[in-house]
Amino acid sequence: MSPAYRIEPLDERGLPLVVRPGEGGDASVASLVAWLRERPEWVAEKQTAHGALLFRGFDVRDGEDFEAVARAIDPELGKEYLGTSPRDAITASGYVFSASELPPYFPIPQHCEMSFTASPPRRVFFCALRPNDGEGGETPLCDFRKVWRDLDPAVRERFEQGGLRIVRNYSGPSGGGRFDLWQLKRWDEMFLTTDKAAVETKCRDQGFEVQWGAKDRLCLISTQPVHRDHPRTGERVWHNHTQVFHLSAAPGEYRRIAALRPTWRNRLLAKVAAAMVAVQRRLRASEQQAMHCTYVDGREISDADMEHVRDVIWRHLVITPWQRGDVLAIDNHSVAHGRLPYQGPRQVAVAWA
Ligand SMILES: [Fe+2]
């Protein structure tokens, strides 16, 4: 017999739908896995409707438990990661990673996973193996269908007509490293190889243009759509990485975080980020920035438009503290995720399909 689970949205916004063991019920991973395998269509339908499912109160203790739950929802997990966060594999299978090895004070703006690639993942899974103590460290969610709907039509039109061009500059095996404040990781860390031909093949698959520079530097140029339509419902979704790649990203995020949590630390970080980006803009052209995006023809996207995008995103942000063992299954076609800064030890794992 199926165990009785309690299923209800976290709050009136409907995101995420929370599944918990019933009172005194079976909290085992084995039962949850069997239950999920019995109802793939129900899972897909609820995940689309709510944007994410949160499994809370189950006995999920390690990366292997997390992988079992993720595989019960989607057996085809991926391991190719071409994003900006440094990540380490944490299970022997190689399909579960630390969500981000970026320093804790780095905010991660909202994004649908790898939306800048030719075929982004369908689903993203997170698991709170060890939530940090105290405030911060949440993985906020945002329904990007609502963002598309609520953007000023004039801003939407400018993006649609302009299209998006992303430029990323990386140093190679000989230079720089993890936690360089601007580049976050080297190209050999991203592609997991030092073989330039292999890098070029991977880039071709993803539609990235490759330019090798002096001292092993790699410049990746790509275009990406502004929106995508949801494959199940046809709803239009703001589905791009501008809020991560645009130069205004760090100061724009830090300022909002400082308004949400006005500690001296957050206010200082907001000021430092604004000053550092102002210097970068004076020192380097768009093409030389570690990460930046413009319209396809190279014209700059205005900071005012990016501020508007961030305003709409933050209006729809769902911020929920992690509980140990939480597993979040996100519909990557419609819902974005990010990370708020934190302090102290924290381990959140990620997988995708
Ligand atoms: Fe991500």
Side-chain angles (χ1 to χ4, degrees):
M1 200 183 87
S2 259
Y5 293 154
R6 216 150 37 95
I7 303 167
E8 60 200 352
L10 188 73
D11 60 30
E12 69 288 346
R13 289 173 292 186
L15 171 66
L17 182 68
V18 188
V19 178
R20 294 181 176 89
E23 200 69 38
D26 186 349
S28 71
V29 169
S31 293
L32 176 59
V33 164
W35 186 83
L36 287 167
R37 286 212 182 114
E38 278 165 23
R39 43 182 65 66
E41 190 44 40
W42 181 90
V43 170
E45 187 210 312
K46 294 296 180 194
Q47 195 183 34
T48 302
H50 290 269
L53 304 173
L54 174 61
F55 301 94
R56 174 162 279 177
F58 291 94
D59 204 12
V60 177
R61 289 161 188 257
D62 54 28
E64 280 75 17
D65 288 342
F66 168 44
E67 185 169 337
V69 175
R71 276 191 192 282
I73 294 173
D74 203 319
E76 292 170 25
L77 297 184
K79 49 165 74 164
E80 281 276 284
Y81 175 63
L82 301 175
T84 47
S85 278
R87 287 179 168 170
D88 295 327
I90 58 173
T91 55
S93 73
Y95 287 97
V96 172
F97 297 80
S98 56
S100 177
E101 295 295 329
L102 286 176
Y105 56 84
F106 259 71
I108 300 179
Q110 290 289 308
H111 60 282
C112 291
E113 196 67 11
M114 291 184 253
S115 82
F116 53 89
T117 59
S119 45
R122 302 181 284 276
R123 291 173 160 125
V124 186
F125 302 93
F126 288 101
C127 178
L129 295 172
R130 198 260 185 245
N132 53 289
D133 301 319
E135 203 172 50
E138 300 91 342
T139 299
L141 300 175
C142 181
D143 192 328
F144 271 17
R145 293 171 288 200
K146 293 179 179 169
V147 171
W148 179 257
R149 185 194 68 196
D150 290 354
L151 281 174
D152 178 339
V155 174
R156 267 195 330 218
E157 201 180 311
R158 279 196 282 281
F159 276 104
E160 277 193 292
Q161 287 186 350
L164 292 172
R165 179 176 193 264
I166 295 164
V167 180
R168 297 188 278 167
N169 281 290
Y170 296 94
S171 60
S174 57
R178 238 177 211 207
F179 312 146
D180 172 319
L181 204 50
W182 298 104
Q183 76 164 2
L184 309 181
K185 59 183 174 185
R186 300 185 313 259
W187 61 256
D188 55 305
E189 291 173 322
M190 180 158 82
F191 292 101
L192 302 177
T193 177
T194 54
D195 178 352
K196 289 186 177 178
V199 169
E200 286 176 14
T201 304
K202 288 187 185 188
C203 288
R204 223 178 3 252
D205 291 348
Q206 293 298 333
F208 301 159
E209 184 192 324
V210 173
Q211 291 176 4
W212 296 106
K215 293 186 190 158
D216 259 359
R217 289 190 67 80
L218 170 63
C219 177
L220 295 180
I221 298 171
S222 53
T223 55
Q224 77 150 116
V226 171
H227 53 69
R228 289 186 170 100
D229 292 342
H230 197 288
R232 283 177 74 91
T233 64
E235 295 160 290
R236 190 141 285 189
V237 186
W238 174 256
H239 210 267
N240 67 72
H241 253 62
T242 47
Q243 54 286 328
V244 174
F245 289 136
H246 195 267
L247 263 175
S248 66
E253 282 297 300
Y254 273 123
R255 213 179 52 252
R256 285 168 177 80
I257 290 163
L260 176 75
R261 294 176 175 153
T263 61
W264 68 266
R265 195 169 188 268
N266 287 340
R267 287 199 297 256
L268 178 67
L269 284 167
K271 285 203 173 112
V272 171
M276 288 177 74
V277 167
V279 170
Q280 285 296 314
R281 280 187 154 142
R282 240 168 266 142
L283 287 180
R284 291 181 194 166
S286 278
E287 300 279 299
Q288 269 86 51
Q289 299 290 346
M291 295 190 285
H292 190 40
C293 62
T294 61
Y295 296 121
V296 168
D297 63 6
R299 277 178 305 126
E300 295 292 335
I301 300 165
S302 75
D303 284 4
D305 281 2
M306 288 311 304
E307 276 294 290
H308 173 64
V309 170
R310 279 188 288 269
D311 279 342
V312 176
I313 289 174
W314 273 73
R315 210 181 301 147
H316 290 292
L317 217 53
V318 175
I319 303 173
T320 314
W322 283 115
Q323 292 182 15
R324 191 182 283 262
D326 277 353
V327 174
L328 189 59
I330 301 170
D331 173 16
N332 196 51
H333 295 302
S334 64
V335 167
H337 60 275
R339 186 191 77 183
L340 290 173
Y342 64 97
Q343 294 184 63
R346 171 188 186 269
Q347 193 180 27
V348 172
V350 68
W352 60 91

